[in-house]
Amino acid sequence: MAAKRSRRRLSSKQHRMWSWQRVLLLLVMMPLGVGLLLIVTALAGAVVWGAPREQVMMGGFYILFSFVASNAIQKQWELVAGWTSLGAATWLMLNRPEMWAKVAAAAFMGVGVALLSREFLRRRRQYLDAKKR
């Protein structure tokens, strides 16, 4: 008896992805893994990077970089802008004590959350529309 094959249709985006893009997508998983490893080791008490607080922050930035790079490779520019805006807001809040930096960080945070939310809601609407069919 022959094994059944799934005749799942690939989206046009998946068809257009080149092999070098797939390799790059695998490579951007490394900062994600490093970030998670830094956070987990800091929580376990093993400090590799300065103080535990700094190690967790760097782990978070590695994860954020992985999101930005992955979305950039896939040419999802709204998500790139949203994640970059959140990263800029976080960096400003952590490194600049001035009031103008806090205001700018709040603005970056608002823009980032708005961009990511809009994209999430757009994809959710597409999913629900496809489910109705």
Side-chain angles (χ1 to χ4, degrees), residues 30-67 90 94:
M30 289 184 67
L32 180 69
V34 169
L36 288 173
L37 188 64
L38 283 172
I39 292 170
V40 168
T41 55
L43 293 175
V47 178
V48 189
W49 192 302
R53 181 176 183 262
E54 293 172 2
Q55 185 169 327
V56 170
M57 286 186 322
M58 284 310 299
F61 281 120
Y62 272 116
I63 291 170
L64 192 62
F65 171 76
S66 179
F67 289 168
T90 305
L94 294 173

Side-chain angles (χ1 to χ4, degrees), residues 78-79 113-129:
E78 191 164 334
L79 291 175
V113 168
L115 288 170
L116 294 172
S117 298
R118 189 168 79 180
E119 184 66 18
F120 171 78
L121 292 173
R122 184 186 66 78
R123 290 182 185 195
R124 178 73 176 155
R125 193 175 321 115
Q126 283 178 346
Y127 169 76
L128 291 176
D129 290 344

Side-chain angles (χ1 to χ4, degrees), residues 2-50:
K4 289 185 178 181
R5 289 189 199 167
S6 172
R7 294 207 177 244
R8 193 181 105 208
R9 296 180 116 187
L10 295 176
S11 70
S12 61
K13 211 176 233 187
Q14 288 171 323
H15 276 297
R16 291 183 298 190
M17 191 173 291
W18 300 91
S19 61
W20 63 270
Q21 287 174 315
R22 292 176 191 207
V23 170
L24 283 177
L25 282 173
L26 285 174
L27 286 176
V28 298
M29 290 298 142
M30 289 184 67
L32 180 69
V34 169
L36 288 173
L37 188 64
L38 283 172
I39 292 170
V40 168
T41 55
L43 293 175
V47 178
V48 189
W49 192 302

